[in-house]
Amino acid sequence: MTLPALLGGPQAFSDPLPFARPAAPPLDKVFARLAPSYDAGTLTTGPLVRELEESVANRLGVDHVVAVANCTSGLMLAIHALAPKGPVLLPSFTFSASAHAISWNAIDTRFAECDRATFQLDLEDASTRTEGIGAIMATHVFGAPCSPLETERLAARANVPLIFDAAHGFGATHDGRAIGTFGDVEVFSMSPTKPLVAGEGGLVATNRAEIAEKVRLGRDYGNPGNYNTRFVGLNARLSELHAAVALCSLDAIDEHLEKRRALASRYITNLVDVPGIATQAVDPFDTHTWKDFTISVNPIEFGINRDALVRALRADGIDTRNYFDPPVHKQHSHNQPPVDLPITDEVSSRVVSLPLYRDLNDNMIDRISGVIVSVHEHADQLTSSLT
Ligand SMILES: *Cc1c(COP(=O)(O)O)cnc(C)c1O
């Protein structure tokens, strides 16, 4: 067994391995797609944006898709359209933008716990926190569906609208049904590290015409066309340039997701028997995008904690991210009033996301996994060398 580089072994990657690389489509295809709009002088919200909206609506099987400048503004506008009459209940184990979108609407956040195995909103804990809420927002964490039908039932019992932060979820399915079709509205991201790539961009998917209409108005200042704005909107338009990238990315999305799933199952096979390492638990009837491949490190069973594993991986030339740590309720932006979420704190302290992208191959996944196994087997030596 090779020694971890931190103990003097040869580096697994002498050329450091980046954490992520965008699955950007070939530039010549983007140029060809963009040319008609560009030459006609239509640089934003033109035929390519409409084509993207229609293609995505058809693919998902949803009535309305509105393309926006990014997922954050899509969430802001979707919440505005839902007009919650109380705090929005959401997991703290999510990306900050989920909570920011609520706060920018001058609506309070109410954080709930996540599940230790799935990392998703803990619906049982959430059901104890619904008093007086105005809406629920759940995230499909790392691209795995977050039990959307059960979440719908929770929202129905609380009699509030439901929004999904589907930033990670383009291409995922629950029981054969596409993510994007659940709740009142779902919002995808097309930023560089998300499954569908536009560079920057978001997609708001809904079966409710009035929500689609409000988001459509809201992305254009709230201007219905006569410059007499109906409400305080944003400029959240998607440019034709970004739509061209997104359309080319959409052409290859199934191939791209297949590759991600193959790499993820290789990690799972390699890591399943490593004591103290847990991969994300996924419902067997769901398909995942693996936007992030996140493991949880039990420091007692693994022999060393997450932070030490991260240092060892870095020494071996492997870049990682602690998604999501700190959890949102511990961030300066959202920690007032303080809320106690011990399970979320524990999960956040244990997670680390490993590299997973199109340009990796099985051999690279095996080498990354090999370092993790070696770190476990040399945990005692590492502990003494790190203290
Ligand atoms: C990336 C991300 C967002 C924000 O998406 P943008 O397109 O960058 O605005 C929101 N929520 C989650 C969970 C994300 O990962």
Side-chain angles (χ1 to χ4, degrees), residues 68-75 93-99 101 137-142 165-169 187-194 199-203 291-292 323-324:
V68 286
N70 48 63
C71 175
T72 306
S73 60
L75 289 167
F93 193 77
T94 182
F95 185 60
S96 55
S98 323
M137 179 198 282
T139 300
H140 300 297
V141 174
F142 306 135
D165 180 341
H168 302 174
V187 186
F188 298 103
S189 172
M190 300 188 289
S191 66
T193 61
K194 309 291 160 90
E200 295 288 354
L203 295 164
K291 186 271 169 191
D292 288 303
Y323 290 151
F324 299 106

Side-chain angles (χ1 to χ4, degrees), residues 91-172:
S92 171
F93 193 77
T94 182
F95 185 60
S96 55
S98 323
H100 288 1
I102 299 165
S103 300
W104 269 89
N105 276 286
I107 294 169
D108 288 335
T109 50
R110 185 176 298 168
F111 293 108
E113 290 279 26
C114 65
D115 181 270
R116 279 195 179 86
T118 63
F119 309 144
Q120 308 287 0
L121 176 65
D122 179 338
L123 292 173
E124 223 178 282
D125 177 80
S127 71
T128 68
R129 302 176 191 265
T130 56
E131 177 85 38
I133 59 168
I136 296 173
M137 179 198 282
T139 300
H140 300 297
V141 174
F142 306 135
C146 59
S147 303
L149 291 172
E150 279 178 63
T151 314
E152 283 181 352
R153 285 193 281 276
L154 176 65
R157 280 203 303 279
N159 197 25
V160 293
L162 173 61
I163 175 169
F164 288 101
D165 180 341
H168 302 174
F170 195 90

Side-chain angles (χ1 to χ4, degrees), residues 288-331:
H288 199 314
T289 67
W290 299 104
K291 186 271 169 191
D292 288 303
F293 189 87
T294 300
I295 60 172
S296 165
V297 183
N298 177 324
I300 311 287
E301 292 169 23
F302 186 65
I304 204 163
N305 67 18
R306 186 271 316 270
D307 292 336
L309 172 61
V310 166
R311 282 177 68 178
L313 286 165
R314 173 141 324 130
D316 261 291
I318 301 159
D319 194 17
T320 60
R321 293 287 182 281
N322 297 339
Y323 290 151
F324 299 106
D325 186 26
V328 185
H329 78 283
K330 285 284 180 71
Q331 297 177 21

Side-chain angles (χ1 to χ4, degrees), residues 235-277:
N235 173 359
R237 294 186 302 259
L238 189 73
S239 78
E240 290 285 277
L241 290 75
H242 292 97
V245 178
L247 281 165
C248 294
S249 176
L250 188 63
D251 289 341
I253 186 75
D254 291 313
E255 214 181 307
H256 175 212
L257 290 175
E258 213 172 289
K259 178 80 198 268
R260 300 189 73 84
R261 287 171 187 144
L263 294 172
S265 52
R266 184 114 188 156
Y267 264 134
I268 293 170
T269 308
N270 290 345
L271 297 174
V272 69
D273 292 326
V274 183
I277 298 293

